Amino acid sequence: MTKKLATTVAAGALLIGLAVAPVSFAQDATKPMDQPQTMQPVPGGDAPADQAQTKPPISEEAPADVAAAGATYLTEQQPDQIAASTYIGQTVYNAGDEKIGEINDLIMKKDGGVEAAVIGVGGFLGMGEKNVAVPFDRIAIAEQPNTDALKLTTTETVDTLKTAPEFKTKSQQVAEQNANQPVDTSTTSSTTTTAPAQPMQQGTEQPQQ
């Protein structure tokens, strides 16, 4: 009887242990997150997730040198600034409010600033027109009220511009230099002329060997 009772008690203890083990495991899994946890690195594996999240965030702000460079760009045209396209095609008037020509181009310095305005004078419908580079300080600029149009006047006259020397661009100068270069004709290839073969007359017999 005693042996049977001991066997029964041992079996009950085993069943109680199996029932309590999952409960204790669940309690361990639900421990508060504020308790320190030790994570062992896996050889050859990636870093733990909590270590990857501790990297400093990437700043979205532009570097200081880039921001400083952006401050030097113009974002809008100022009242004292005029685009070159505004000048080209504009009519130029003399002191008597008479039209003397139109601006065909602007000559600028390499280091900035406008050197002269190329005015086309004379001719008819663009034919026979002559370009004269008038120094830009001889042209007065007046803005029309309530518009972006300009009125250009100069102390030059039609007669002074017609007698002024014609302005030539660099491409025109190069073209003239190439046209004025003499052609070297000393090296000519010699050709030999051969007499044409005489046609064989029909009915003639070839001499026998």
Side-chain angles (χ1 to χ4, degrees):
M1 183 66 179
T2 304
K3 184 177 182 181
K4 183 177 180 180
L5 179 61
T7 304
T8 304
V9 172
L14 179 60
L15 292 175
I16 293 173
L18 293 175
V20 174
V23 176
S24 62
F25 177 79
Q27 291 179 357
D28 293 338
T30 57
K31 286 183 178 180
M33 297 301 295
D34 56 355
Q35 294 183 4
Q37 297 182 2
T38 303
M39 301 186 66
Q40 297 296 332
V42 179
D46 297 335
D50 58 346
Q51 294 183 7
Q53 295 178 357
T54 58
K55 292 182 179 181
I58 300 176
S59 176
E60 296 181 356
E61 297 181 356
D65 54 349
V66 176
T72 60
Y73 294 106
L74 299 179
T75 58
E76 59 183 12
Q77 185 175 347
Q78 300 299 321
D80 59 343
Q81 298 172 345
I82 301 177
S85 58
T86 306
Y87 285 114
I88 298 175
Q90 284 285 338
T91 301
V92 182
Y93 299 87
N94 59 10
D97 203 23
E98 297 174 344
K99 177 181 176 180
I100 62 175
E102 294 182 354
I103 295 182
N104 293 332
D105 206 348
L106 295 177
I107 306 303
M108 301 182 181
K109 297 180 180 179
K110 292 183 178 180
D111 56 352
V114 181
E115 183 78 10
V118 180
I119 301 177
V121 296
F124 179 73
L125 298 178
M127 302 297 295
E129 186 179 67
K130 182 178 72 170
N131 286 327
V132 178
V134 178
F136 205 69
D137 55 2
R138 299 184 190 177
I139 299 176
I141 305 169
E143 295 186 0
Q144 302 300 316
N146 301 325
T147 180
D148 59 348
L150 302 176
K151 184 174 182 180
L152 308 179
T153 57
T154 181
T155 56
E156 300 287 341
T157 63
V158 176
D159 294 335
T160 58
L161 294 180
K162 285 184 177 180
T163 57
E166 183 177 5
F167 175 77
K168 296 180 181 179
T169 62
K170 184 175 292 185
S171 60
Q172 290 175 335
Q173 299 176 36
V174 172
E176 290 181 356
Q177 292 176 1
N178 294 335
N180 294 332
Q181 288 182 355
V183 179
D184 188 6
T185 58
S186 59
T187 58
T188 57
S189 59
S190 59
T191 58
T192 58
T193 58
T194 57
Q198 296 295 330
M200 182 180 297
Q201 297 180 358
Q202 297 180 358
T204 60
E205 297 181 354
Q206 294 292 338
Q208 297 180 357
Q209 297 293 335

